[in-house]
């Protein structure tokens, strides 16, 4: 499956123009990275139940698959922010691709060793690489054109991320649940990522003036200016969104096996083409809507739908709850890039540091699966675990109301 970007139309649009210059080409180049980390994240949702079966471990222990990757975000985000400030976005991208490729190739010896914790370490290295990519690419896309279209631009980039989210469960389920070695998909991914790194080492990314805020005055205190109410509310909203998204993804296959009596392979296909398919379509549709409507209003609608749909997953059974899942995927599709861009509007010129702090919130993906695993193991009910994402989506809706009142 591919996502076509209408290049001719976009070239004539102000969305990629700033001060008389067109930034369409660097936008397309940097957007290619979004596919790579979408794939890396979504294949985790297959790894989690695969490791439960392969190593005969509990849902709680299997959640360390997510803890490793998302924990890497928390530890690496600030260092890579300083790297970007010192050497630029290109340095952050190259470091990210290098770590991602190395971590993926570590699955080759990992398959021979056969240790769950070695795989966890390999995923931690991948997580550090993904941190570099996201800290670099997300804020860079917001700068490549008209400041008022920042949310639409980052959602358009994230559409390619959505395609990666589709491919991960499909490829992973096709290989891992049919007896093939876990090293195969990661060996291919590692080789591709390192090749992309070679291409980026020869490419040039233009320095772009901040399209969101002017730089702070010399006498201003950067830390005091950055940690304002609007930015902090966005920081919390992003942490809770990642927690909710990761929790939903991590237990989708478990839920489908219990509630719909599907096999792991069947559930992985539902996740790829049903859940992640709607996720990708939602991002493309969201980008179009935000060209005409206030981003915070579109986000509020999505958050309310996600809250109600998650409530149906907790309370109902059968196909009604399964349908609720797919509403969640369509609704949450625009949340990360939109919250990210809205929060950056409150950073008062400190884009690199603000981006690092926002990327650190991805550690929420390490917390929610553990909590949900504990609830599922203790209660014996996977639906009860979805109370965690329910609370998260409700907060995001409240955050949207706050943004609408502020503007």
């Amino acid at each position: 499956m591919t996502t076509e970007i209408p290049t001719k139309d976009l070239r004539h649009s102000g969305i990629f123009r700033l001060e008389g210059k067109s930034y369409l080409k660097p936008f397309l180049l940097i957007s290619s990275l979004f596919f790579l980390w979408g794939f890396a994240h979504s294949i985790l949702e297959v790894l989690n139940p695969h490791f439960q079966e392969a190593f005969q471990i509990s849902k709680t222990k299997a959640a360390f698959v997510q803890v490793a990757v998302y924990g890497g975000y928390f530890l690496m985000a600030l260092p890579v922010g300083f790297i970007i400030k010192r050497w630029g976005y290109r340095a952050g991208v190259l470091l990210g691709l290098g770590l991602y490729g190395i971590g993926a190739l570590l699955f080759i010896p990992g398959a021979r060793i056969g240790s769950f914790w070695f795989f966890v370490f390999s995923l931690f290295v991948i997580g550090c690489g993904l941190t570099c990519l996201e800290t670099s690419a997300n804020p860079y896309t917001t700068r490549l054109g008209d400041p008022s279209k920042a949310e639409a631009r980052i959602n358009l980039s994230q559409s390619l991320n959505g395609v990666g989210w589709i491919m991960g469960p499909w490829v992973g389920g096709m290989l891992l649940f049919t007896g093939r070695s876990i090293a195969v998909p990661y060996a291919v991914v590692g080789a591709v990522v390192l090749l992309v790194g070679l291409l980026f080492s020869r490419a040039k990314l233009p320095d772009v003036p901040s399209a969101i805020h002017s730089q702070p005055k010399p006498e201003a205190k950067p830390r005091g200016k950055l940690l304002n109410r609007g930015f902090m509310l966005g920081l919390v909203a992003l942490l809770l969104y990642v927690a909710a998204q990761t929790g939903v993804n991590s237990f989708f296959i478990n839920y489908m096996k219990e509630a719909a009596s599907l096999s792991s392979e069947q559930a992985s296909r539902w996740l790829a083409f049903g859940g992640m398919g709607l996720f990708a379509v939602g991002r493309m549709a969201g980008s179009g809507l935000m060209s005409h409507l206030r981003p915070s209003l579109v986000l509020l609608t999505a958050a309310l739908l996600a809250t109600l749909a998650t409530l149906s997953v907790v309370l109902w059974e059968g196909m009604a709850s399964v349908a609720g899942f797919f509403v969640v995927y369509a609704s949450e599709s625009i949340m990360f890039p939109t919250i990210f861009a809205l929060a950056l509007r409150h950073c008062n010129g400190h884009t690199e540091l603000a981006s690092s702090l926002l990327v650190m919130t991805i550690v929420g993906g390490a917390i929610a699966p553990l909590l949900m695993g504990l609830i599922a193991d203790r209660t014996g009910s996977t639906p009860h675990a979805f109370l965690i994402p329910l609370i998260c989506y409700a907060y995001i809706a409240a955050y949207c109301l706050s943004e609408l009142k502020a503007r």
Side-chain angles (χ1 to χ4, degrees):
M1 182 179 291
T2 59
T3 301
E4 293 185 1
I5 298 179
T7 306
K8 182 177 180 181
D9 292 338
L10 295 180
R11 187 176 288 120
H12 293 288
S13 171
I15 190 173
F16 299 109
R17 298 192 69 84
L18 180 64
E19 297 180 349
K21 295 181 181 180
S22 173
Y23 292 100
L24 177 60
K25 288 182 179 179
F27 173 83
L28 294 175
L29 183 63
I30 205 73
S31 293
S32 66
L33 300 175
F34 285 67
F35 172 86
L36 294 177
W37 77 65
F39 183 93
H41 281 294
S42 62
I43 200 171
L44 296 179
E45 323 318 341
V46 177
L47 277 184
N48 189 308
H50 170 74
F51 284 145
Q52 289 177 41
E53 296 176 6
F55 294 104
Q56 293 296 300
I57 57 178
S58 67
K59 293 182 178 71
T60 305
K61 186 173 180 179
F64 276 93
V65 167
Q66 277 78 17
V67 171
V69 173
Y70 294 105
Y73 276 85
F74 184 76
L75 295 175
M76 194 68 183
L78 281 177
V80 77
F82 289 118
I83 290 171
I84 293 170
K85 189 172 183 178
R86 176 67 177 83
W87 289 289
Y89 288 106
R90 185 167 170 270
V93 168
L94 292 176
L95 178 60
L97 290 170
L99 289 172
Y100 183 174
I102 291 169
L105 293 178
L106 283 174
F107 271 68
I108 299 174
R112 292 181 177 274
I113 296 169
S115 166
F116 172 72
W117 295 111
F118 186 87
F119 286 126
V120 168
F121 170 73
S122 304
L123 290 167
F124 173 74
V125 175
I126 291 175
C128 290
L130 299 180
T131 309
C132 298
L133 293 181
E134 294 213 42
T135 307
S136 305
N138 278 311
Y140 192 63
T141 60
T142 67
R143 292 185 171 198
L144 296 175
D146 183 351
S148 67
K149 304 297 183 183
E151 290 86 357
R153 203 159 41 245
I154 194 172
N155 270 282
L156 189 57
S157 285
Q158 291 277 1
S159 297
L160 286 177
N161 178 261
V163 177
W165 279 93
I166 294 172
M167 297 300 293
W170 177 53
V171 173
M174 186 171 55
L175 295 176
L176 300 183
F177 294 132
T178 54
R180 291 183 178 87
S181 171
I182 194 173
V184 174
Y186 277 94
V188 174
V189 168
V192 170
V193 167
L194 292 178
L195 177 61
V196 172
L198 180 62
L199 295 175
F200 263 87
S201 70
R202 299 175 179 274
K204 291 183 179 180
L205 297 178
D207 292 327
V208 186
S210 175
I212 298 177
H213 296 287
S214 60
Q215 291 298 320
K217 296 179 181 179
E219 67 272 14
K221 296 181 180 180
R223 186 173 179 83
K225 279 285 187 179
L226 174 60
L227 299 182
N228 57 76
R229 182 176 181 273
F231 181 76
M232 292 302 294
L233 289 176
L235 204 68
V236 174
L238 203 61
L239 184 145
L240 293 180
Y241 164 72
V242 178
Q245 182 199 35
T246 309
V248 169
N249 291 342
S250 300
F251 290 93
F252 178 90
I253 292 178
N254 288 111
Y255 189 96
M256 288 298 176
K257 288 168 67 177
E258 296 174 17
S261 300
L262 298 177
S263 67
S264 296
E265 186 183 0
Q266 289 172 324
S268 67
R269 288 200 298 268
W270 277 62
L271 177 59
F273 297 108
M276 298 307 177
L278 288 168
F279 188 84
V281 170
R283 281 204 164 154
M284 287 183 278
S287 178
L289 285 172
M290 288 180 200
S291 297
H292 306 285
L293 300 173
R294 295 174 68 177
S296 49
L297 183 60
V298 178
L299 183 61
L300 174 61
T301 304
L304 291 173
L305 284 172
T307 303
L308 294 173
T310 307
L311 185 62
S312 74
V313 171
V314 175
L315 298 178
W316 297 345
E317 296 180 357
M319 291 309 296
S321 62
V322 172
F325 261 112
F326 296 122
V327 174
V328 169
Y329 278 109
S331 301
E332 72 178 11
S333 58
I334 64 163
M335 290 186 184
F336 182 89
T338 307
I339 296 171
F340 195 99
L342 287 173
L344 275 183
R345 289 188 178 278
H346 296 280
C347 77
N348 293 331
H350 305 286
T351 307
E352 291 81 8
L353 179 56
S355 299
S356 295
L357 293 174
L358 288 169
V359 170
M360 285 180 72
T361 65
I362 295 177
V363 74
I367 300 169
L370 272 178
L371 291 175
M372 293 176 70
L374 285 168
I375 293 172
D377 286 336
R378 295 284 177 87
T379 65
S381 169
T382 300
H384 289 165
F386 284 86
L387 287 168
I388 300 298
L390 175 64
I391 294 170
C392 296
Y393 292 133
Y395 174 88
I396 294 169
Y399 165 72
C400 295
L401 288 172
S402 174
E403 277 291 300
L404 284 169
K405 289 179 180 178
R407 296 183 183 278

